[in-house]
Structure formats: C-alpha cells, structure tokens
Amino acid sequence: MDKQEYAEYIKRITPKSKIWNSIIRAFVVGGLICLLGEGLGALYKMWLPNYDQAQIGSLVSCTLILLASILTGIGVYDKIGYFSGGGSIVPITGFSNSITSAAMEFRKEGIIFGTCANMFKIAGPVIVVGVAVAMLCGLGYFIVGLFL
Amino acid sequence: MTFLWAFIIGGFICMIGQLLILKTNWTPARILVSFVVIGALLQVCTLFEPLQKFAGAGVTTPITGFGAGLVKGTFENIDKYGFLGIFSGGLTAMSAGIAVAIVSGLVIGMIFKSRSK
Amino acid sequence: MSTIIFNHQPRIVGWYSVAGKKESQGPLGETFSRIVEDEYFGGKTHEVAERRLFVTAIQGAIQVAGIQPDLVFAGDLLNQIVSSSFAMRDIGLPYVGIYGACSTMALSLINAAAYVDAGLVQSAVAAAGSHFATAERQYRTPLEFGNQRPPSSQWTVTGAGATVLSASKESKIAVTCATIGRVVDFGIKDVNNMGACMAPAAADTLERHFANTHTQPADYDAIFSGDLGQIGEEALRDLLKERGYDLGQKYYDCGKLIYAEEQKVDMGGSGCGCSAVTLNGFILDKFKRGDYHKVLFMATGALLSPTTCFQGESIPGVANAVVIEEVTE
C-alpha cells in the first residue's frame, strides 16, 4: 500500500458514527435548550413588563449562560455533551461550558495565569471573529449610509 | 405556537451543527465560529429578525443569535452615534452575556475541580 | 537496520504495575499489582497523581526485585517528560529520561537491557506511565467540556509500570533481542485516529524483526502491540499480510485487552501506561506461571505534539519491539 491507498483503506475500516441516531439526539437536546430559552423569555416578560424585547433576550441569555456554567461545575454538562454533541455545543450554553470548563481545568496554575489566561481557550475565537465580522459589516453599513 | 417553532428551529440548527461535526471533523471551536458568522450574515441580509419573530428563542439561543446581536448592535449604534458605533455597537449589545460568562466561569472555576468520568 | 541481540540475556527480576479505577474494572483488572481508585492519588493535581503512579510503580518493582538498581530509564507523555523526571526526586537513583511517546515502555526496556547486557551497570529499571486527565488536557480539551469523542478515538490509560533488569542469573525470564523502530509516516493527519498513524510503523518494525531474526509469528507464544486499538490492529494485520506475514490468533493489542467493550472507550486504550501496565501485570505474570515461554512485545507511539497538529503536519509513528523469553541456564 502506498500513502494514498493507505488513506483510503483507513477511511474504509474506520467505524462511522451512527448519523441518524446522533443528529436526532442533537435535535432534541438543542431544541429543548431553545425551548427553555423561550419559556424563560415568556416568564421574564410577565414579571418585568417594562423591559423591551432586547433586554428580555439579554436576560434569557444570561440565565442560560449561568445555568450552563453551574452544570459544568457540578460535572453534568459534559455528560449532556457526550449524549447530544452539537445539541449542547451550538446553543449559547455551549459557549458558557467552553469558558467554565477551561477555567476549571487551568485553575491549578493559579487564578491569573491559569484561570484568567486560559478561560477563553476555546471560546476566544468566537468573540474575536464575531467582533471582527460585526465591525466589518458595520463599516460597510456606515459607508453605504454616507451615500444614501 | 412560538414554543413549538422554538423547539423545531432551535433543534434544527443544532442538528446542522452536529452534522458538520460528524461530516467534517471540525473542532467545536470551529463550529461555534461558523455559526456566529452565519448569524451575523443573516442579520446583515435582514433575514434574522423575521426568523426571530417566527421562532423566538429557537434562533436567538443558538450561538447564531450572538453573531446577529453583534451586528444588530453595531448597526443601531451607527444610526445613533455615527462612526464610533462601528466599534462600540457590537460589544455593547452583547456585554451582559459576555460579562456573566466571564464572572460565572471565574467563580465556578474557583469552586469546582475537574474530574475525569 | 539490524536487530540487537543481547548475548548476556539480562534477566527480568521484578515488575510492578499500578492502575486507575477504570482500568481495574476492565478484563485485566486482576493482574495489576495495585489499584488507585482516586484519580488525584491524594494530590492536588492530576500531574501530581501521574508522578505518584511512577513513584509507586518504580518503588514497587525495586521492592519485588529485592535489589538496589544502578540506573532508571523512564519516560511519559507530558511536555518535557516531567512526570518521570519529577518522580525521580523521590527515587534518588541515576536517571535517563527517554521519550518514545506511547512506545516508551519498550524503548526504556531496550535501553535498560542494553546497559545491563554491555556490563555497564549491574541492574537497571525501565518504567513508563500515563494519566487520562493529563493527556486530555495536553492533547485535547478540558475534561468538563461537553463534546463527543469520535468513534475512532482511544482512551488514555491511567497507570504506570516498571520492570527491573539484572545481570544476575536468578530469574529465568530474560530479554534476548530487540528491534528499535524507524519513524514511519503514512500521511495520516487525524489526531483522533492514532491507531491508523502507528500501524505502518508497527508493520515496519515487525517485518524487519522477523526478517532479521529469521522467525515467523508462529514462533512466539504471543505477540503484543502497545496501543494500536481496533483500527490499528486491523491495519497492522493487513499491512503484514501484504508483506507475507500472518499474525494469526496469537497476536493481541494491549489497547484492546485492557478495557471491556461496555466501558465506552471506542477503539481501546492508549498512552504509555497502556503497554506498561499490561507488560508488568498480565504478560510477565503469565511467564511466572509458565504459560508463556517466548513473547514479542512491541509498544507503538505516535510522535505528535499539539503544535505540530495545529500546523497541519501529518503524524509519524514509531514502534519498538523486544523479545522476552524464558531461558534455561
């Protein structure tokens, strides 16, 4: 076997994930997390009638983030993740899990150089790319606005 | 009705994420980044808000909502403050979430030890 | 390209293995000298726990052997092989740190045998070990991060093993020859498929070993590979079949032996500790009981670092083989 044949051979003998099984789990868990978000939104709207849509949304995100962080701390979130994969990575709770899990992992190197320096190890790119893309879009929007 | 659609659309977005993980071998960080960009682009194309009206938390809870929120905040601040808004808008809109994520990560990280299962 | 023949046949006079809780629940659970249930081993960090595994294994093997060795060869997976070198603070013996990724147990055994065989030292210790949590942190994601493991991944063994070799003829179990591996790279880049990365190196080492020693797989009571896992094992069998060797029924992979299927470890165990605890428990115990008379033990390693992976390099493999044999005189 040469390298190319070997690569194809390995691809053939490597077991595949059960796609349907796995995406259905992701669908259900992801859907439930979103449902929880919707439910919290409805609840907050009832309690805080003065808040506008954006503020309610912010509050819901904060609640989910906090909840996921606590679940990570007590060692539950990674079990949910093991079960559902993308279902608990894609929601904002996955973002929170990535920060808290890194914070916990690197705590032993101290608070400054461990926790603080490493907590955005996985989530960092999300904020960097998000902010960069938003700025780029903003720049375009601003320039277009000058000519209208 | 929004509840049902929140479940279905939210679940669907997560399902796409899982499909990407299985099919492309992408790392979770890459998946998150891609969804943020998709959310931002949906917002630019003004497709995000109709979706949000329809499915509520189904589109705002996935990390796509983070991307869309960043762009929305940027545009709003540009309308309000002009040039400065390009820089200040995004993080202003998302500040609460990021702050809670940082503080809760810090506190939880100090309290609990990680364990192998 | 040659195989080293140890003319003076250094003897294995003591061995000791220490393993974690998950390993103790596997099929080899009974064969380990000591089980440590606490993943922190009473320390503050997993890194400290890994060091304590080393100290326990080396001291245990020395005690079993009942002699004071002159030299220790040891290595592990962590950056700058800190687990073995830090453990040596408590051992207080002259120390040679070696790195062969997961092939370290065989590599340290070969080095120890070579020193003893050449008469440079009277006795030497060979040791290797790994810890699931420290390997996860170095190579993968934080423990509490909620992602799924791809079906091709393997589970790093928590455990360490040590073997004491001596020039005295007290024991009948000897290290008789060894084939040191060449670094072989077939261009696989998937960090979650270590078996596929290492199988070509394993095939290369075995092929050279059989040719140099004029032996066939059937000449051994058993052939063990270190941590190829299910994919690697299958690939090794096929690669060798292509080169005219049939490994047959007596070939086993330590990574596949160490865990049961229901333990959710996907393709099997991996890490330095995988082959180390299997050798210093299951395999050498079988020699003691007289079940084995001649065994080919080959540990396999994937020579990657997180940096090389992020820089898009493919993953080279290496495999070191050593023959353990019952001798008469």
Side-chain angles (χ1 to χ4, degrees):
Chain A
M1 273 191 249
D2 62 19
K3 282 186 183 181
Q4 205 184 339
E5 282 166 358
Y6 185 70
E8 281 159 19
Y9 163 79
I10 287 299
K11 218 174 163 184
R12 211 167 53 237
I13 65 164
T14 300
K16 308 277 179 294
S17 313
K18 292 177 192 129
I19 298 228
W20 280 107
N21 191 334
S22 136
I23 59 172
I24 286 170
R25 286 195 223 167
F27 177 85
V28 173
V29 174
L32 285 175
I33 294 173
C34 295
L35 194 61
L36 178 65
E38 187 66 32
L40 283 169
L43 217 58
Y44 288 153
K45 213 177 271 173
M46 227 158 61
W47 287 344
L48 307 157
N50 298 331
Y51 275 43
D52 67 18
Q53 187 69 37
Q55 286 167 317
I56 296 280
S58 257
L59 217 51
V60 170
S61 290
C62 292
T63 315
L64 289 173
I65 286 169
L66 187 66
L67 194 67
S69 186
I70 292 168
L71 287 177
T72 305
I74 59 175
V76 171
Y77 203 88
D78 76 321
K79 285 186 181 138
I80 300 173
Y82 185 85
F83 176 77
S84 73
S88 54
I89 289 174
V90 174
I92 193 86
T93 49
F95 174 77
S96 167
N97 166 247
S98 75
I99 293 171
T100 306
S101 63
M104 287 167 72
E105 186 74 34
F106 291 92
R107 170 69 182 85
K108 293 154 204 161
E109 277 90 316
I111 291 176
I112 302 295
F113 291 106
T115 307
C116 299
N118 289 294
M119 64 198 287
F120 281 100
K121 239 183 160 159
I122 302 166
V126 177
I127 295 184
V128 174
V129 171
V131 169
V133 167
M135 257 181 69
L136 215 62
C137 296
L139 196 65
Y141 180 77
F142 181 76
I143 291 169
V144 170
L146 290 180
F147 294 102
L148 291 179
Chain B
M1 212 44 201
T2 334
F3 280 94
L4 182 67
W5 285 115
F7 178 76
I8 292 175
I9 300 291
F12 183 73
I13 294 172
C14 295
M15 198 171 87
I16 304 276
Q18 176 66 3
L19 208 57
L20 278 174
I21 293 174
L22 295 176
K23 286 290 176 192
T24 60
N25 256 337
W26 281 8
T27 57
R30 233 163 131 175
I31 300 286
L32 287 174
V33 167
S34 322
F35 276 80
V36 166
V37 175
I38 293 171
L41 294 181
L42 282 175
Q43 178 68 33
V44 173
C45 307
T46 65
L47 287 171
F48 195 82
E49 257 143 72
L51 269 173
Q52 192 184 343
K53 279 224 173 70
F54 177 62
V59 288
T60 52
T61 306
I63 198 81
T64 41
F66 185 74
L70 283 170
V71 171
K72 191 174 176 221
T74 307
F75 286 8
E76 280 174 0
N77 267 26
I78 291 170
D79 290 342
K80 254 191 247 169
Y81 310 112
F83 187 70
L84 183 67
I86 300 174
F87 308 102
S88 67
L91 284 177
T92 308
M94 289 293 115
S95 55
I98 295 176
V100 171
I102 291 175
V103 173
S104 65
L106 195 63
V107 173
I108 300 280
M110 290 200 301
I111 300 174
F112 295 99
K113 253 180 158 182
S114 49
R115 290 160 299 265
S116 41
K117 303 286 147 49
Chain C
M1 304 292 278
S2 66
T3 290
I4 306 166
I5 308 290
F6 300 122
N7 288 317
H8 297 101
Q9 303 181 327
R11 305 299 160 93
I12 295 176
V13 292
W15 59 89
Y16 198 90
S17 53
V18 51
K21 190 177 176 192
K22 195 182 181 89
E23 291 68 29
S24 76
Q25 292 160 348
L28 301 186
E30 303 274 289
T31 64
F32 305 128
S33 319
R34 184 173 166 190
I35 305 295
V36 176
E37 299 256 325
D38 174 19
E39 63 176 285
Y40 282 95
F41 206 160
K44 261 177 92 176
T45 67
H46 289 117
E47 283 73 15
V48 167
E50 187 173 328
R51 273 167 229 162
R52 291 191 177 166
L53 291 174
F54 267 91
V55 173
T56 311
I58 294 170
Q59 283 178 346
I62 292 174
Q63 202 172 17
V64 170
I67 52 170
Q68 189 62 13
D70 302 312
L71 198 53
V72 178
F73 292 87
D76 59 274
L77 288 176
L78 298 193
N79 293 337
Q80 286 81 40
I81 52 169
V82 282
S83 298
S84 22
S85 17
F86 279 50
M88 291 308 143
R89 294 187 298 201
D90 299 332
I91 301 288
L93 289 172
Y95 154 69
V96 182
I98 53 172
Y99 183 77
C102 305
S103 78
T104 303
M105 190 63 229
L107 195 59
S108 61
L109 197 61
I110 293 169
N111 277 285
Y115 268 66
V116 173
D117 187 62
L120 303 174
V121 293
Q122 186 63 26
S123 67
V125 183
S130 54
H131 193 299
F132 172 75
T134 62
E136 281 298 300
R137 164 211 276 253
Q138 181 169 305
Y139 292 105
R140 286 171 275 271
T141 50
L143 289 174
E144 302 291 346
F145 183 57
N147 60 341
Q148 285 173 333
R149 305 160 60 81
S152 61
S153 62
Q154 288 172 253
W155 189 278
T156 307
V157 167
T158 301
T163 317
V164 183
L165 289 175
S166 166
S168 75
K169 307 286 181 198
E170 281 158 37
S171 162
K172 280 186 174 161
I173 311 165
V175 178
T176 53
C177 65
T179 305
I180 294 181
R182 298 195 284 186
V183 174
V184 178
D185 190 339
F186 264 35
I188 302 288
K189 288 185 177 177
D190 187 356
V191 285
N192 290 310
N193 199 344
M194 288 296 159
C197 305
M198 300 186 290
D204 180 73
T205 300
L206 282 188
E207 186 190 12
R208 288 192 298 121
H209 181 83
F210 291 140
N212 291 337
T213 55
H214 307 290
T215 54
Q216 286 289 327
D219 296 332
Y220 299 91
D221 292 333
I223 298 171
F224 290 92
S225 58
D227 57 349
L228 290 176
Q230 192 180 309
I231 297 169
E233 183 190 311
E234 195 179 333
L236 176 61
R237 280 180 188 280
D238 286 344
L239 284 168
L240 274 180
K241 211 168 268 172
E242 217 179 56
R243 302 173 195 189
Y245 294 100
D246 184 8
L247 283 176
Q249 296 296 314
K250 287 189 280 182
Y251 161 60
Y252 310 94
D253 181 63
C254 301
K256 270 186 75 183
L257 289 177
I258 197 161
Y259 296 117
E261 198 150 320
E262 64 271 15
Q263 286 183 289
K264 289 186 184 165
V265 294
D266 300 303
M267 293 295 98
S270 70
C272 294
C274 182
S275 53
V277 296
T278 311
L279 173 71
N280 293 294
F282 180 73
I283 300 175
L284 288 173
D285 285 354
K286 283 227 169 206
F287 268 100
K288 197 176 176 182
R289 284 204 303 271
D291 295 345
Y292 284 163
H293 304 284
K294 189 178 185 183
V295 160
L296 179 57
F297 171 75
M298 174 185 63
T300 47
L303 302 169
L304 76 160
S305 86
T307 312
T308 62
C309 289
F310 284 128
Q311 292 177 351
E313 297 268 354
S314 58
I315 302 168
V318 71
N320 295 296
V322 51
V323 175
I324 299 166
E325 213 173 324
E326 198 178 82
V327 289
T328 41
E329 36 129 4

